[in-house]
Amino acid sequence: MKQPPLHYRIAPIAPHSHQFAVTLTVPAPQTGGQRFALPAWIPGSYLIRDFARHVLSLRAEHQGQPVAVEKIDKHTWQAAPVTGELVLHYTVYAFDASVRGAYLDKERGFFNGCSVFLAVEGQTDRPCVLEILPPEGKAFRAWQVATSLPAQATKASGFGRYRAQDYDDLIDHPVELGPFTRLHFSACGVAHEFVLAAPCLRLDEERLVRDVQRICTQIIQLFGEPAPFDRYVFMTWVTVDGYGGLEHRASTALMCSRDALPLEGETGVKSAYRQYLGLIAHEYFHAWNVKRIKPAAYAPYDLHRENYSRLLWAFEGITSYYDDLTLVRAGIIDPASYLELLAQTLTSVARTPGQQVQTLEASSFDAWIKLYRPDENSVNCGISYYTKGALVALCLDLHIRRETGQRHSLDDVMRALWQRRGRDFYQGKPEGIAEDEWEAVAEAVTGLPLKPLFDAWLRSTAPLPLQELLASVGVRSQWRPSYGTSDKGGWVDSTKPATGVWLGLRSQNEQGWARISQVLAESPAQASGLSGGDLLVALDGLKISASNLDTLLAPYRPGDTVQVQAFRRDVLKSFTLVLAAQPEDTVGLKRSDDDPARHSAGQAWLGQ
Ligand code: ZN
């Protein structure tokens, strides 16, 4: 017998006080008393967030009469047994200015299902209807709805009813509400929407659409048509300094800064726009790699507790590798610009002492307690599976290309994983990738014995053979000292005057002062006793500001001794530092055409 769907209704009842009201109707509750639970985390962001802490009030009724509800753990409620329809009413506080939660004020609303929709235990595989109501009042007349959920019965504004196959589907389509800008385009025949929540004065819409369309086409063609969705929605909240994104099966929620958008009359790809396009490519690539090709540990997700996998390097690292690579392959940036981005990733990993402490598999496994919970010592004890994962992906790609005489590449491995595990993920009985399966597929596709490389690159802290592999595609590497705190990496033709001396600390601007964020292991700063959190005051009697450290250090040479004063909490302390030489931890990359075979391998790699 086909049972009626679960019915969720959400209304932005009080934009000024950031509250959504939700009504959940369960046609056939469990006989012993229906349990309801809110997820403790949102897929794609591996940290326990306990969304239930924002549930403000909750009550249940049956045939108009109140039903007792008891809270039985931090995110689970149980209603007393009833026969027939049970209705739950609750409100949720929504003021999370990120892509991971829910937000509501008079300008805009946004929610992820994980923050607002209680799962009906034992019935999470049933279809759902979602009804989205507009806020009341003249001020909200221009509000619309954007979401990748398929509509069932909606007005032109988008308010109305949507449907979801099951709970997992319901919470995988974030919803944007407000008077936003909506652009449309098609890629490989698939309809795409591009939503920008913010007034965008003089936005070069044509250029933005053209560039994003190229990215989408490039990625669809990499995995092979057809795309795994009928429609895809990009939604970006534009703020003063926002940055971030979260992937979903047919959409992504993004944040970017105002200066990242291309304006009419601008030419060239400014670096904030390049970064935003890289983020777009990253989240779009995830629609294949992690939303469909996914670890068995996430199939299905257990949303009540941490889900452990040693494969996050493959899902985040490989996606990070392909995001910027997509921009050059799609012709949006040139090879020199791509190599600058790659050099910055190499530099970032080279400047992380934790790469000699934590393996990539350990970084993946411990995401929940390490990468997502950074502190002042993270740089010394851990490595990001995004950055080092991207470098392993690069090494794997270049190794496969070289060892198979350019017949195979990482693209073939991704396509094989797609065919084997990803393509049909949301149809039938989905199975994810077993922890040892990724490596087996890579060996089978390429015919190469890759196990020793995986052992070295994923399960040890041995350095990666980056210089040698980059040389195989005609890319020269330059390892040099940093020329100052703003130097993030990149090729330097002339010898710029390097600061010469090194403290081994990083700081953040705090109202014009420099607050130490990290002290690197084995550095002069660490040896002196300086620590993360200390507020720098003076160097040899001269005031240290947030931006003058390079200037203050310019006259010194390695081996010189300096006195530094700093506040630890409210106690002024003095530290003696013996300055060291700048380590050669800054990387530049440049193409060379000295060797035609290598140059043409590089052309193929970069899609030129
Ligand atoms: Zn990602």
Side-chain angles (χ1 to χ4, degrees):
M1 189 177 76
K2 203 177 161 204
Q3 291 189 319
L6 302 171
H7 191 284
Y8 292 82
R9 189 173 70 204
I10 186 164
I13 46 163
H16 62 284
S17 58
H18 323 298
Q19 288 177 50
F20 284 106
V22 183
T23 302
L24 166 54
T25 304
V26 184
Q30 284 172 318
T31 48
Q34 181 64 55
R35 287 186 177 186
F36 302 91
L38 210 56
W41 61 284
I42 181 166
S45 185
Y46 306 100
L47 178 70
I48 296 296
R49 297 185 187 274
D50 292 330
F51 297 114
R53 72 190 199 279
H54 295 308
V55 174
L56 300 176
S57 63
L58 184 145
R59 65 184 172 86
E61 60 181 39
H62 171 63
Q63 296 176 345
Q65 298 300 311
V67 173
V69 183
E70 191 189 355
K71 188 128 193 230
I72 56 171
D73 68 26
K74 63 177 180 177
H75 48 220
T76 311
W77 289 258
Q78 178 158 350
V82 295
T83 307
E85 192 174 272
L86 177 69
V87 183
L88 219 56
H89 300 277
Y90 57 97
T91 52
V92 181
Y93 178 73
F95 203 49
D96 176 358
S98 84
V99 293
R100 299 175 298 256
Y103 184 89
L104 180 64
D105 66 12
K106 287 182 172 179
E107 274 69 55
R108 161 185 188 259
F110 172 79
F111 59 84
N112 283 289
C114 285
S115 290
V116 292
F117 298 137
L118 284 163
V120 181
E121 281 198 3
Q123 306 199 32
T124 50
D125 54 355
R126 295 190 44 182
C128 306
V129 169
L130 169 61
E131 187 178 359
I132 306 172
L133 301 184
E136 286 182 10
K138 271 193 254 171
F140 305 105
R141 264 194 205 149
W143 279 38
Q144 306 174 69
V145 178
T147 180
S148 51
L149 264 181
Q152 192 178 57
T154 54
K155 295 179 182 160
S157 59
F159 288 100
R161 289 176 184 226
Y162 293 82
R163 58 191 152 79
Q165 296 165 35
D166 51 28
Y167 183 74
D168 187 45
D169 192 25
L170 177 72
I171 62 171
D172 204 12
H173 301 270
V175 175
E176 177 75 33
L177 307 170
F180 46 70
T181 301
R182 179 159 22 203
L183 311 172
H184 296 269
F185 66 91
S186 158
C188 298
V190 178
H192 288 67
E193 285 175 30
F194 201 93
V195 170
L196 288 158
C200 302
L201 198 63
R202 282 206 287 281
L203 170 69
D204 190 342
E205 294 182 359
E206 218 171 287
R207 178 177 180 192
L208 183 60
V209 160
R210 190 177 61 234
D211 288 342
V212 178
Q213 188 178 36
R214 283 175 173 177
I215 289 169
C216 298
T217 304
Q218 178 70 35
I219 293 174
I220 294 172
Q221 288 176 348
L222 178 106
F223 286 99
E225 291 184 59
F229 34 74
D230 302 328
R231 189 170 71 95
Y232 189 93
V233 181
F234 291 96
M235 38 188 100
T236 299
W237 186 17
V238 186
T239 66
V240 59
D241 56 358
Y243 181 75
L246 194 60
E247 67 275 11
H248 299 281
R249 68 181 69 176
S251 61
T252 176
L254 307 161
M255 289 180 77
C256 81
S257 60
R258 247 175 264 290
D259 65 351
L261 295 174
L263 302 182
E264 286 168 6
E266 276 181 359
T267 52
V269 185
K270 59 188 176 186
S271 76
Y273 183 48
R274 183 176 68 174
Q275 188 188 33
Y276 178 46
L277 291 175
L279 180 67
I280 286 168
H282 183 98
E283 305 305 346
Y284 195 72
F285 195 88
H286 269 320
W288 286 258
N289 195 37
V290 94
K291 292 313 300 187
R292 289 174 175 82
I293 306 169
K294 69 166 80 181
Y298 302 166
Y301 299 112
D302 179 348
L303 295 170
H304 292 174
R305 53 192 62 81
E306 293 87 349
N307 291 193
Y308 296 102
S309 171
R310 290 184 170 79
L311 288 173
L312 273 181
W313 72 270
F315 295 97
E316 289 301 348
I318 289 178
T319 302
S320 296
Y321 170 59
Y322 275 103
D323 58 24
D324 292 336
L325 189 59
T326 297
L327 304 188
V328 64
R329 286 183 174 177
I332 298 168
I333 60 173
D334 61 22
S337 178
Y338 172 69
L339 291 180
E340 181 184 58
L341 289 168
L342 192 56
Q344 289 175 357
T345 306
L346 265 75
T347 302
S348 154
V349 172
R351 291 179 183 173
T352 305
Q355 64 160 318
Q356 285 150 23
V357 176
Q358 189 185 44
T359 68
L360 212 41
E361 280 198 346
S363 174
S364 300
F365 193 82
D366 273 338
W368 304 85
I369 57 166
K370 296 214 170 186
L371 195 85
Y372 272 90
R373 291 174 66 182
D375 60 31
E376 73 287 344
N377 196 43
S378 298
V379 71
N380 295 323
C381 66
I383 187 69
S384 161
Y385 50 76
Y386 284 84
T387 51
K388 189 177 173 188
L391 297 187
V392 164
L394 167 73
C395 288
L396 205 50
D397 195 6
L398 299 187
H399 177 83
I400 294 169
R401 286 169 187 272
R402 185 181 64 185
E403 297 303 311
T404 62
Q406 313 300 324
R407 280 180 297 109
H408 286 299
S409 71
L410 187 59
D411 298 357
D412 298 309
V413 179
M414 297 314 295
R415 277 191 283 268
L417 288 162
W418 174 244
Q419 295 297 328
R420 182 183 174 117
R421 289 287 188 215
R423 199 179 46 180
D424 305 318
F425 191 82
Y426 293 111
Q427 280 118 46
K429 281 239 173 294
E431 277 181 51
I433 307 244
E435 293 284 292
D436 57 358
E437 191 175 346
W438 204 101
E439 293 172 33
V441 169
E443 286 197 321
V445 170
T446 60
L448 297 172
L450 298 171
K451 175 100 180 11
L453 298 186
F454 288 122
D455 285 342
W457 299 350
L458 305 178
R459 291 178 281 274
S460 93
T461 57
L464 301 173
L466 286 156
Q467 268 173 276
E468 170 205 331
L469 286 168
L470 284 164
S472 73
V473 285
V475 175
R476 287 160 61 199
S477 314
Q478 177 188 58
W479 288 74
R480 58 177 179 82
S482 158
Y483 58 76
T485 44
S486 63
D487 184 4
K488 293 184 169 46
W491 188 273
V492 175
D493 270 327
S494 57
T495 333
K496 283 207 184 186
T499 52
V501 296
W502 184 64
L503 299 178
L505 60 80
R506 291 176 199 162
S507 62
Q508 284 174 339
N509 184 340
E510 188 174 296
Q511 294 176 330
W513 295 88
R515 171 86 67 188
I516 299 180
S517 50
Q518 293 155 336
V519 169
L520 303 191
E522 317 279 324
S523 67
Q526 189 186 57
S528 78
L530 278 165
S531 295
D534 290 349
L535 186 76
L536 293 171
V537 174
L539 187 144
D540 279 349
L542 297 176
K543 180 185 166 183
I544 300 175
S545 76
S547 56
N548 72 348
L549 215 43
D550 291 343
T551 313
L552 287 181
L553 288 170
Y556 294 91
R557 292 293 168 263
D560 289 351
T561 298
V562 293
Q563 294 297 318
V564 169
Q565 272 76 43
F567 277 112
R568 178 162 305 166
R569 293 175 285 278
D570 64 346
V571 180
L572 185 65
K573 297 167 78 93
S574 207
F575 302 87
T576 304
L577 280 79
V578 181
L579 299 172
Q582 282 280 359
E584 295 196 341
D585 60 4
T586 307
V587 184
L589 300 173
K590 194 178 195 178
R591 296 196 76 190
S592 118
D593 48 13
D594 295 350
D595 181 319
R598 289 175 172 217
H599 185 75
S600 93
Q603 294 287 87
W605 166 52
L606 298 174
Q608 299 299 295

